[in-house]
Amino acid sequence: EIKDTGYIVRSYDLGPDPRTAKYLFNDHTAAIGRFRKFGSYRGISLPNVSSLVGSADGKNPSFFILTERIKGDNLEDVPLSTDEISYAKRAFNDLISGLVDYSRDVFESRGEYLSDQNLSQYVYDKSSQKVFFVDLGMECHRLPPTRGQHHENSHFFAQYMQGIYIMLEELEGKIG
């Protein structure tokens, strides 16, 4: 992390083997693409994100992800005054609507989805009254092309959709 820049910098060592480096580069680039697609849904704002390749140790290539630091509180811990609740309620309802739309689209397209969903992955910025998804981790799952393949379908419904439901309950508990 570089202090006082307004950005969080994450570096990932791509290793000395060019084939492995290319694979990891493509994997990280795809993760950023999933992140940006996720942010196209209503109520899901994203910080500015940039990436570059360089060297963190002067030997091996590294993939760097620069993410704008969002000022606000994690949704798990966000304190809201009585006056702030009506604005937050609108932002939280938009977030849940966006998550439902995203989930429906993932299920219908049978594609990859960001599987690490919980309130700690989101920050509420009171000044903009927006909810930002701030986890740029690479954790994702893919639904198989046919609906009969049980394992990934089970994860989608038993864990992912259950996580969305828990988030909804927790947000409702915060704003009534």
Side-chain angles (χ1 to χ4, degrees):
E1 182 176 330
I2 299 174
K3 297 187 188 299
D4 302 326
T5 63
Y7 283 84
I8 297 169
V9 179
R10 296 178 185 159
S11 67
Y12 301 92
D13 185 358
L14 299 178
D17 177 25
R19 289 175 302 198
T20 302
K22 182 177 180 180
Y23 172 80
L24 292 171
F25 173 82
N26 290 338
D27 208 29
H28 290 297
T29 302
I32 290 173
R34 287 189 299 272
F35 180 76
R36 288 190 172 129
K37 180 180 178 184
F38 185 62
S40 70
Y41 287 84
R42 180 176 64 134
I44 302 170
S45 298
L46 299 177
N48 292 319
V49 174
S50 298
S51 63
L52 59 98
V53 175
S55 179
D57 63 5
K59 296 175 188 172
N60 294 324
S62 294
F63 189 84
F64 295 91
I65 300 175
L66 293 80
T67 309
E68 175 187 18
R69 184 181 306 278
I70 300 299
K71 292 182 175 129
D73 293 298
N74 176 300
L75 285 189
E76 277 186 332
D77 306 320
V78 64
L80 296 170
S81 69
T82 306
D83 296 337
E84 294 168 327
I85 287 179
S86 64
Y87 297 111
K89 188 179 281 193
R90 188 174 322 126
F92 295 172
N93 285 337
D94 285 349
L95 170 65
I96 294 299
S97 294
L99 286 170
V100 168
D101 291 345
Y102 174 77
S103 300
R104 183 198 62 238
D105 289 352
V106 164
F107 188 73
E108 289 175 358
S109 71
R110 313 301 294 169
E112 291 181 324
Y113 60 97
L114 298 174
S115 55
D116 190 13
Q117 295 291 330
N118 59 65
L119 292 182
S120 68
Q121 311 293 10
Y122 294 88
V123 169
Y124 179 62
D125 177 12
K126 292 179 183 179
S127 64
S128 69
Q129 299 169 356
K130 291 181 179 180
V131 176
F132 286 85
F133 181 69
V134 296
D135 179 33
L136 202 58
M138 295 185 11
E139 187 174 337
C140 73
H141 281 82
R142 173 184 287 277
L143 282 170
T146 59
R147 294 181 189 223
Q149 293 174 305
H150 180 69
H151 174 69
E152 285 299 320
N153 288 337
S154 295
H155 179 274
F156 186 77
F157 289 109
Q159 293 179 332
Y160 177 78
M161 292 304 294
Q162 177 70 18
I164 301 298
Y165 175 75
I166 290 168
M167 287 174 55
L168 172 62
E169 282 192 325
E170 290 173 352
L171 287 174
E172 284 182 349
K174 289 183 180 301
I175 58 175

